């Protein structure tokens, strides 16, 4: 099994509606598996959608804004929790299809939300989470910061599968830590994959000598409003904030751009912009190993006598209680 097939699901979720988005995800997983996918990938916080109002709604950053607070409440109520039925259904689907899954989701722990990437292995008891280390700019209005305990990677028949979320790809030490895990395949989750995101994803592939699946979503303003209305809730301030985003109903907020990249930085599958669909590509792991002859950043191209990196992988809760 030297040639895994990766499928990126470049679709819109049912925005803000977790249960409906899980149903939609299962349908896309079945479609990808039928097409021959070994590894199925969804974009950043696909469950139940990237909080686009942070980027586009004029009042999103105002203190005590009723619309922003209502949207946070709705998002918190539609975020996954470890061990919940939503994650269990995705795990059951992986087991049935025999495919690996990497899903981006809003995760709730207590009353704080995290931008999380979940790795699902067929036959596993539960998915493995990675929580974004640093929410970027206005994202800090919604998400808390992850710690080193979830700087995760999993084993697959093709080697180590790992990933980072969005601007984590511009954290040099995070990249170094993940390279040290020996990734064969790396998942780069983005809201959409813009030009600079492609530069980061291709550079990561070249630096890490690994295949990279750069995953982004397509999303229109109509998708956003329809997803909100599917919740059937009385939250006029929230709807008003979403409606305040500029553009027409059919204008794309997120334009996709998903692609699959080889270990030399070239495209296995060229970026797909402006339309939904599966972005699929086959990775030749034997050819990939050849690239390590010239560069292995955690091997013959490292200088441990000069550089040293220590990674704290302990959970860092705000309060601990010592028992007797």
């Amino acid at each position: 099994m030297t040639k895994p097939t990766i499928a990126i699901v470049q679709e819109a979720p049912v925005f803000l509606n977790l249960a409906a988005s899980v149903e939609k995800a299962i349908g896309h997983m079945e479609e990808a598996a039928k097409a021959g996918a070994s590894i199925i990938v969804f974009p950043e916080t696909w469950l139940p959608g990237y909080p686009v109002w942070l980027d586009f709604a004029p009042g999103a950053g105002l203190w005590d804004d009723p619309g922003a607070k209502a949207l946070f409440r709705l998002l918190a109520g539609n975020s996954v929790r470890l061990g919940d039925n939503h994650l269990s259904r995705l795990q059951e689907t992986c087991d049935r299809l025999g495919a690996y899954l990497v899903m981006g989701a809003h995760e709730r722990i207590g009353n704080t939300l995290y931008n999380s990437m979940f790795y699902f292995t067929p036959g596993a008891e539960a998915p493995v989470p990675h929580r974004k280390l640093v929410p970027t700019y206005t994202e800090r209005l919604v998400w808390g910061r992850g710690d080193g305990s979830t700087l995760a990677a999993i084993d697959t028949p093709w080697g180590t599968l790992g990933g980072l979320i969005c601007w984590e790809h511009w954290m040099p030490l995070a990249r170094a830590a993940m390279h040290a895990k020996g990734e064969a395949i790396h998942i780069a989750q983005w809201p959409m994959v813009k030009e600079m995101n492609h530069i980061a994803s291709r550079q990561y592939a070249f630096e890490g000598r690994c295949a990279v699946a750069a995953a982004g979503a397509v999303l229109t303003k109509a998708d956003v409003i329809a997803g909100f209305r599917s919740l059937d809730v009385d939250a006029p301030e929230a709807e008003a904030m979403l409606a305040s985003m500029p553009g027409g109903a059919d204008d794309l907020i997120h334009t996709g751009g998903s692609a699959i990249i080889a270990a030399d930085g070239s495209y296995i599958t060229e970026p797909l912009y402006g339309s939904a669909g599966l972005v699929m590509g086959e990775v030749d792991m034997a050819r990939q190993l050849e690239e390590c002859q010239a560069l292995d950043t955690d091997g013959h191209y490292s200088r441990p006598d000069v550089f040293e990196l220590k990674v704290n992988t302990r959970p860092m809760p705000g309060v601990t209680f010592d028992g007797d």
Side-chain angles (χ1 to χ4, degrees):
M1 300 178 69
T2 61
K3 294 184 178 182
T5 297
I6 301 172
I8 301 171
V9 178
Q10 181 166 289
E11 297 278 350
V14 183
F15 193 75
L16 285 178
N17 189 326
L18 176 59
S21 292
V22 169
E23 288 292 338
K24 190 172 184 180
I26 290 171
H28 290 311
M29 291 171 65
E30 291 171 341
E31 178 189 5
K34 186 176 180 180
S38 317
I39 301 168
I40 304 168
V41 180
F42 285 76
E44 180 178 0
T45 57
W46 198 86
L47 294 177
Y50 185 84
V52 290
W53 64 88
L54 297 176
D55 292 328
F56 301 106
L62 297 178
W63 181 262
D64 213 27
D65 183 88
K69 292 168 72 173
L71 284 168
F72 179 84
R73 169 174 54 82
L74 293 171
L75 187 57
N78 283 271
S79 296
V80 302
R81 297 175 184 262
L82 278 175
D84 72 10
N85 181 60
H86 303 294
L87 296 178
S88 295
R89 292 197 63 208
L90 294 176
Q91 181 64 61
E92 290 164 3
T93 305
C94 282
D95 297 345
R96 174 167 55 86
L97 299 177
Y100 289 77
L101 169 67
V102 183
M103 173 63 76
H106 297 268
E107 180 188 12
R108 183 175 175 180
I109 301 175
N111 291 320
T112 293
L113 305 185
Y114 295 88
N115 179 338
S116 298
M117 173 188 290
F118 287 93
Y119 301 94
F120 293 81
T121 299
E125 292 185 6
V128 175
H130 163 58
R131 300 182 186 110
K132 191 174 184 180
L133 293 169
V134 183
T136 299
Y137 200 47
T138 51
E139 291 177 351
R140 297 170 198 181
L141 296 170
V142 171
W143 297 316
R145 299 194 304 172
D147 60 35
S149 68
T150 68
L151 202 61
I154 62 171
D155 294 328
T156 76
W158 312 283
T160 300
L161 172 66
L164 291 172
I165 304 169
C166 202
W167 279 40
E168 288 183 318
H169 291 87
W170 286 297
M171 298 176 69
L173 301 186
R175 295 202 312 268
M178 294 306 295
H179 295 332
K181 292 177 179 287
E183 288 175 301
I185 300 169
H186 175 86
I187 309 304
Q189 288 185 332
W190 309 88
M192 59 178 167
V193 195
K194 298 184 288 187
E195 180 185 12
M196 282 302 298
N197 308 147
H198 275 286
I199 291 170
S201 299
R202 295 180 69 183
Q203 190 273 343
Y204 192 98
F206 189 93
E207 179 181 271
R209 285 325 205 212
C210 58
V212 171
V218 290
L219 186 72
T220 65
K221 188 173 180 180
D223 293 327
V224 170
I225 301 300
F228 168 81
R229 290 177 178 170
S230 75
L231 293 172
D232 194 24
V233 295
D234 182 21
E237 301 90 352
E239 184 169 6
M241 175 158 284
L242 296 176
S244 74
M245 296 188 299
D250 295 329
D251 288 345
L252 282 169
I253 296 173
H254 287 160
T255 57
S258 300
I260 300 171
I261 304 161
D264 63 356
S266 65
Y267 285 115
I268 295 171
T269 306
E270 294 281 340
L272 174 65
Y273 285 105
S275 60
L278 290 176
V279 176
M280 301 189 67
E282 184 182 73
V283 180
D284 187 340
M285 304 306 296
R287 289 282 303 275
Q288 185 164 299
L289 182 59
E290 295 175 2
E291 299 301 326
C292 295
Q293 179 185 19
L295 176 66
D296 181 4
T297 53
D298 190 54
H300 64 77
Y301 231 85
S302 67
R303 284 294 304 273
D305 56 322
V306 179
F307 305 110
E308 183 178 359
L309 172 62
K310 179 180 180 181
V311 181
N312 180 5
T313 59
R314 293 174 296 161
M316 301 297 289
V319 177
T320 57
F321 295 90
D322 289 334
D324 293 334

